[in-house]
Amino acid sequence: MGLFGLVFVGKSFPVDASQVAQISQTNWVLDVTQSVTPAYTDLKEICLFLTSPASLDQSCALGLYVSCGGGDWQYRGCVTASRPSDVFPTAWPTGEDAVAGGARIGVSIEPRAELEHKEAARLGKKEEFAKRVALDLFRYLESFNQGGGHVAQISNDHLVVPANFLDRWFTKFQHKFRRDPDFLTRQTEKA
């Protein structure tokens, strides 16, 4: 049994250790295009887990990376002896070169401190996204106060909005997000 295992979430099959090629003492690569039955673009999430958490040194972590078309490896997450499994989005790189060259998953043993730094950056992006969603909701609430066609009242310095305002905002948010999933990340904050 190897140090780790992989399972594609929702596809109900683990990746056999024999399918993952060890290319160095600390690096493994899975050629997803040749090893996995469904199209790699259908594989949205992957679980990385340690088969024996005690076998990984406390100062190390196992990093998960993806690459398409022979492009650069892109970090997706890590597991440690204290957090021996996690599920990560594959978020395959896109573009003509990516599709033509197939897809690979890389696993690497690295110093825990380095991967924790990468992990903080990854989580920071999620926090920034959450902040932008909250800002979108705030701007929607502001529209009630600015006579944007919504029914609202100001009472004792409080904005009173319709009871279904969250449902209305979320419906509007979904429509914008489906039209343009990157609209939040392109917005710039108002000064």
Side-chain angles (χ1 to χ4, degrees):
M1 180 177 287
L3 174 65
F4 64 91
L6 300 167
V7 176
F8 288 100
V9 178
K11 299 302 176 188
S12 302
F13 62 90
V15 174
D16 185 271
S18 66
Q19 294 174 293
V20 183
Q22 186 168 4
I23 59 171
S24 75
Q25 189 73 11
T26 59
N27 294 285
W28 295 263
V29 173
L30 171 67
D31 184 340
V32 179
T33 311
Q34 293 181 7
S35 302
V36 180
T37 304
Y40 76 88
T41 54
D42 293 338
L43 304 172
K44 305 296 184 195
E45 293 180 308
I46 187 167
C47 175
L48 172 64
F49 61 93
L50 296 171
T51 55
S52 175
S55 63
L56 184 64
D57 186 290
Q58 291 290 329
S59 67
C60 294
L62 214 55
L64 180 76
Y65 297 84
V66 299
S67 173
C68 284
D72 293 337
W73 289 101
Q74 296 182 11
Y75 178 75
R76 293 297 180 255
C78 70
V79 295
T80 63
S82 59
R83 195 183 80 229
S85 67
D86 208 340
V87 175
F88 306 104
T90 52
W92 299 107
T94 57
E96 197 172 300
D97 293 339
V99 174
R104 298 178 298 159
I105 291 182
V107 177
S108 176
I109 298 175
E110 299 178 47
R112 186 174 180 162
E114 287 180 22
L115 287 181
E116 285 176 346
H117 179 71
K118 288 180 182 181
E119 195 68 8
R122 182 177 77 93
L123 294 177
K125 289 178 185 176
K126 288 183 177 184
E127 287 174 2
E128 181 63 25
F129 183 77
K131 179 181 168 186
R132 290 179 186 267
V133 170
L135 185 60
D136 187 75
L137 174 58
F138 177 75
R139 289 185 178 145
Y140 181 74
L141 285 172
E142 278 183 327
S143 72
F144 285 92
N145 196 23
Q146 297 171 355
H150 304 291
V151 178
Q153 300 173 8
I154 297 180
S155 172
N156 297 329
D157 294 328
H158 291 84
L159 179 64
V160 180
V161 296
N164 67 346
F165 88 94
L166 274 176
D167 292 331
R168 291 166 57 184
W169 165 76
F170 191 65
T171 299
K172 182 179 176 183
F173 180 86
Q174 281 180 311
H175 289 297
K176 288 192 310 190
F177 192 77
R178 287 179 182 153
R179 273 193 319 264
D180 180 10
D182 297 321
F183 86 95
L184 287 173
T185 54
R186 277 198 302 273
Q187 285 184 350
T188 57
E189 293 185 32
K190 291 182 179 179

